[in-house]
Amino acid sequence: MQNLDFHSIEKYLSSNFIGYEGPSEFTKFSTGQSNPTYLINAKSGNYVLRSKPPGILLKSAHAVEREYFVIKALQSSNIPLPIPFILCENENVAGSIFFVMSFVEGRNYSDPKLTSLTNEERSKLYDHMNQVLSLIHNIDIYKSGLEGFGKPGNYFERQVSRWTKQYQSSEIETISEMNQLIKWLEVNTPLDDGRVSLVHGDYRIDNFIIDNNQPIIKAVLDWELSTIGHPLADLSYQCMQWRMPEGKVGRGLAGINRKKLGIPSEKEYLELYCQRTGIDEIRNWSFYLAFSCFRFAAILQGVLKRSIEGNASNPEEAKKLGKMVPELSKMAIKIIEND
């Protein structure tokens, strides 16, 4: 896999980032499948660099510049975020577009069971996840300067069309359940209800930095898929974990005694979100869940395709995640048939 030109990056940062001082060491994080992410250990402190991956990319994918823009726009909000310092859109500098943000000390989890926490800590952290998601969806997009961050019209119609194209561009073999799911989503997309908010796009536990001393989110990361859209896309995407199987790949909560662990049920989590956002009820919930399964499957299909082409951030992990594509489509079909 092609590497960035770190020598050129250090020269660029030293000339354009006020307060930055080398020499620096660049260490790649093993986590993250979309955009290569590095810890910069510089004389002036620690920072994080996010870049686009090498190779031919799918249209509108890996938008680190979009991520930088939204984090910068939300700095005055109550949403816990890193500080964005500098964006370089000139690919000639280092071989790829990149940005640098603050390094946030804390814990990072991938398993929603959060086995290292106490029941009380788990309950508080899930409550804070819910609170932060509500804050994101309650952001005034006009006051934040984000009104042009998405397109008008039925968000889910656009998203089904977009991710169908993305999936088909990355398709390696025919998965009948995915094709069945695409047809169902196209026919069963709800009418536009007019609800519009900032959407994170990848709101899940491994995209949070958790405070070292208390169960609260210190920073929400990975905003590359953020847009102006429908808030239930984020909510259903996070709630997939209640339906997904337990294990290293699925990392879900299905079949787990959640009450025993202090984790709210899906129903309780939805009710708490509705209270915080002023929603009376959620209709068509099975559609939103099925859509989120489809979208996640399409994302993972792209990750798998990049691993085959040699452009994945973590090739072995990418292949494992790619195995989830048929399972997610089967899960979506089950939701459609049973919910």
Side-chain angles (χ1 to χ4, degrees):
M1 183 176 176
Q2 175 184 338
N3 290 322
L4 294 170
D5 185 341
F6 296 118
H7 178 70
S8 295
I9 289 174
E10 180 157 358
K11 285 178 63 178
Y12 179 86
L13 294 178
S14 298
S15 300
N16 296 279
F17 178 6
I18 297 173
Y20 183 90
E21 186 178 357
S24 308
E25 290 183 0
F26 294 78
T27 306
K28 190 174 183 296
F29 289 101
S30 59
T31 55
Q33 287 301 317
S34 183
N35 296 316
T37 306
Y38 300 84
L39 172 65
I40 305 175
N41 181 242
K43 184 178 180 181
S44 53
N46 290 336
Y47 311 91
V48 172
L49 181 147
R50 293 264 285 169
S51 72
K52 290 193 176 189
I56 299 172
L57 306 178
L58 295 173
K59 184 180 178 182
S60 74
H62 312 284
V64 294
E65 60 271 52
R66 189 176 187 83
E67 184 173 3
Y68 174 86
F69 176 77
V70 72
I71 293 174
K72 188 174 181 180
L74 296 175
Q75 285 299 296
S76 61
S77 73
N78 292 326
I79 300 168
L81 295 163
I83 301 168
F85 291 124
I86 190 167
L87 168 69
C88 177
E89 296 184 274
N90 183 354
E91 296 184 10
N92 293 325
V93 170
S96 183
I97 295 172
F98 68 89
F99 78 91
V100 174
M101 60 184 172
S102 61
F103 173 73
V104 181
E105 286 280 358
R107 299 170 285 178
N108 181 248
Y109 299 102
S110 60
D111 187 346
K113 296 192 302 298
L114 300 166
T115 53
S116 64
L117 303 185
T118 66
N119 283 16
E120 183 181 5
E121 288 173 331
R122 270 190 291 271
S123 295
K124 287 182 177 179
L125 182 52
Y126 269 90
D127 182 75
H128 198 235
M129 288 182 209
N130 190 288
Q131 180 185 353
V132 171
L133 185 60
S134 303
L135 287 173
I136 292 171
H137 293 165
N138 285 329
I139 281 289
D140 188 318
I141 59 177
Y142 296 98
K143 289 183 179 178
S144 301
L146 294 170
E147 63 272 18
F149 206 54
K151 297 179 181 178
N154 190 313
Y155 172 76
F156 288 103
E157 278 186 1
R158 297 198 312 273
Q159 286 286 296
V160 170
S161 175
R162 174 192 174 185
W163 288 106
T164 296
K165 292 173 183 174
Q166 299 279 53
Y167 171 74
Q168 291 171 344
S169 297
S170 304
E171 194 173 16
I172 297 166
E173 60 182 351
T174 299
I175 300 174
S176 60
E177 289 86 359
M178 279 295 283
N179 292 332
Q180 180 185 349
L181 180 56
I182 288 169
K183 290 178 181 178
W184 187 91
L185 291 170
E186 289 174 343
V187 173
N188 290 277
T189 302
L191 294 174
D192 185 13
D193 62 5
R195 294 192 64 208
V196 176
S197 76
L198 175 64
V199 173
H200 177 274
D202 200 9
Y203 195 82
R204 54 194 171 100
I205 195 165
D206 42 341
N207 283 331
F208 309 142
I209 299 297
I210 310 302
D211 189 276
N212 279 324
N213 301 309
Q214 52 184 330
I216 61 170
I217 298 172
K218 282 190 71 178
V220 180
L221 307 176
D222 205 351
W223 290 79
E224 66 166 286
L225 294 172
S226 60
T227 188
I228 301 303
H230 200 292
L232 293 185
D234 269 346
L235 183 63
S236 58
Y237 182 78
Q238 189 188 17
C239 284
M240 277 195 307
Q241 69 182 15
W242 273 265
R243 311 289 183 114
M244 292 176 71
E246 181 186 14
K248 291 183 179 180
V249 178
R251 295 182 299 188
L253 295 169
I256 303 298
N257 188 335
R258 297 181 288 273
K259 188 174 183 179
K260 185 178 180 180
L261 293 175
I263 297 173
S265 67
E266 180 186 289
K267 183 174 182 291
E268 290 168 336
Y269 197 82
L270 292 177
E271 288 174 349
L272 187 58
Y273 173 86
C274 288
Q275 291 172 14
R276 284 177 162 142
T277 55
I279 299 175
D280 293 328
E281 63 175 332
I282 297 177
R283 298 177 180 177
N284 303 307
W285 183 237
S286 58
F287 169 85
Y288 300 120
L289 282 173
F291 164 77
S292 288
C293 292
F294 159 70
R295 178 177 172 274
F296 192 32
I299 291 170
L300 295 184
Q301 186 66 34
V303 170
L304 177 60
K305 182 73 176 293
R306 289 200 306 279
S307 73
I308 292 171
E309 294 175 343
N311 296 326
S313 180
N314 186 330
E316 290 306 311
E317 185 67 16
K319 290 175 184 176
K320 291 179 184 178
L321 292 172
K323 294 177 181 179
M324 287 179 61
V325 175
E327 297 306 315
L328 282 164
S329 57
K330 289 175 185 177
M331 188 172 89
I333 298 299
K334 186 177 179 181
I335 289 169
I336 292 166
E337 294 175 345
N338 297 335
D339 279 36

